[in-house]
Amino acid sequence: MVRRIDVTRADGVCLAAWEFTEQTRGARETRADPGHSPEDTGEAGERREPAPGALLLHGLMGRASHWAATARWLAERHRVVALDQRGHGESGKPPGGPFGREAYTGDAEAVIEELGLAPVTLIGHAMGALTAWQLAARRPDLVRALIICDMRAAPGAASQRRWAEWFAAWPLPFGSLAEVRAWFGADDPWLERPDPARGDFFAEVMTEHPDGWRPVFSRRQMLAIREGWAHDAHWDELARVRCPTLVVRGLDGELGRAEAQEMVRVLPRGRYAEIADAGHLLHHVRPESLRAVAEPFLDEVLAAALRRE
């Protein structure tokens, strides 16, 4: 079951956080009771230790629902929250921003603190992974462990114009979700070969309008968001991450093996994993393969935490 929790930032942006639970205690809340999880109280009313928190952060153009398969298995042992980040999903999309790195790390920090998730396991894909490791570097007290899914430490600045041209090529509005799946899964000029799962990914970020189907996000805002991190290298922040960190890449993804292994070397407690049958959207397309590499890592993290207690 999934319930929505709204977290409103000081700048007025309302963030939609989605908690994956076995039982829903209400369709919607404006705030959670900090430190309280569905496992806190047993059937007889006895107090239980709260489940360790996990926060899932999607990438550019993504949304929280892309983590559904991962959230379900994580919820067996964690209190799992997936966040629609600002400008995405059902979260606020302020016309003038802010959309800088400080806004995104501040949003994740606010959700962790208001929902009582710390010390949290952060799992991020692409832009969400960058947000996760920047927060882990800035607030090590909040973060127990980190999983980075297919995000480069040095994205490269030359791609912004290419992205603008790609957005302009979208044949909006689409007449149906079938057309969405067909274009992003087969007809998109960025594709080297057909990829139906990519079509499914983009179908989840479309919404129906009177004239057809359009993205839930603003393409102009996506470019502005990407502008905030695409031009910089982020090695120094990786070096400041003190928690156990797993770097995961898809064999056909955007993060190359050499750069991923250098990220692991720079991280004080880094590890490396590779998913052979996945590309950039590994968390959405191959959630079972992500589980195969992530679950043993998280088991070790939880076991170490129990030993310290």
Side-chain angles (χ1 to χ4, degrees):
M1 302 294 289
V2 184
R3 66 184 181 113
R4 173 172 168 164
I5 306 171
D6 287 345
V7 177
T8 301
R9 295 299 317 281
D11 61 5
V13 174
C14 180
L15 303 172
W18 304 89
E19 182 172 7
F20 288 75
T21 61
E22 292 184 1
Q23 233 177 358
T24 301
R25 292 176 297 160
R28 180 166 175 164
E29 297 182 3
T30 54
R31 284 189 60 172
D33 178 11
H36 183 77
S37 80
E39 286 73 34
D40 281 352
T41 305
E43 291 181 2
E46 72 275 10
R47 193 71 173 173
R48 296 180 182 175
E49 289 299 315
L55 180 63
L56 311 181
L57 300 173
H58 61 75
L60 192 72
M61 300 183 293
R63 65 185 309 165
S65 62
H66 286 145
W67 288 108
T70 296
R72 282 193 289 271
W73 69 261
L74 275 173
E76 296 170 7
R77 299 181 63 187
H78 295 77
R79 181 185 176 202
V80 183
V81 175
L83 178 64
D84 278 338
Q85 298 186 77
R86 65 172 58 207
H88 297 76
E90 295 189 22
S91 286
K93 302 169 180 62
F99 293 119
R101 289 284 81 214
E102 188 68 25
Y104 279 89
T105 55
D107 288 347
E109 182 179 5
V111 170
I112 291 167
E113 292 187 325
E114 290 205 28
L115 273 59
L117 297 174
V120 72
T121 291
L122 290 176
I123 304 178
H125 171 251
M127 179 194 72
L130 176 59
T131 299
W133 87 58
Q134 288 180 327
L135 180 58
R138 187 175 79 178
R139 291 291 308 272
D141 57 306
L142 294 182
V143 185
R144 185 196 303 273
L146 173 64
I147 298 180
I148 296 170
C149 297
D150 214 68
M151 178 59 187
R152 300 184 61 193
S159 58
Q160 277 295 91
R161 178 179 294 179
R162 183 169 175 249
W163 272 72
E165 292 171 350
W166 177 58
F167 279 141
W170 289 18
L172 297 175
F174 292 97
S176 67
L177 287 179
E179 289 185 13
V180 173
R181 292 185 176 94
W183 196 83
F184 287 102
D187 302 331
D188 185 345
W190 268 21
L191 277 177
E192 295 181 0
R193 57 184 178 273
D195 185 355
R198 186 174 182 267
D200 292 337
F201 178 94
F202 279 97
E204 284 195 43
V205 295
M206 296 288 162
T207 187
E208 191 172 17
H209 292 260
D211 62 345
W213 292 83
R214 297 178 179 273
V216 298
F217 51 77
S218 159
R219 291 170 293 167
R220 177 187 57 80
Q221 287 186 352
M222 294 300 104
L223 284 174
I225 292 166
R226 197 174 187 279
E227 187 77 22
W229 50 262
H231 295 269
D232 301 319
H234 306 280
W235 297 103
D236 290 346
E237 294 149 316
L238 276 177
R240 297 200 303 272
V241 174
R242 299 298 169 185
C243 63
T245 302
L246 180 67
V247 178
V248 184
R249 67 176 289 266
L251 188 63
D252 296 321
E254 296 181 5
L255 175 61
R257 181 180 285 114
E259 185 173 356
Q261 292 177 342
E262 180 64 11
M263 290 168 66
V264 172
R265 189 193 68 79
V266 168
L267 285 158
R269 301 172 69 183
R271 297 189 190 182
Y272 174 75
E274 187 173 281
I275 298 178
D277 57 347
H280 180 59
L281 303 177
L282 57 91
H283 66 305
H284 180 70
V285 177
R286 294 286 182 266
E288 71 288 345
S289 298
L290 177 59
R291 178 177 186 174
V293 299
E295 194 167 32
F297 168 76
L298 294 178
D299 286 346
E300 288 186 29
V301 168
L302 292 181
L306 286 173
R307 287 195 297 271
R308 287 193 296 270
E309 293 173 0

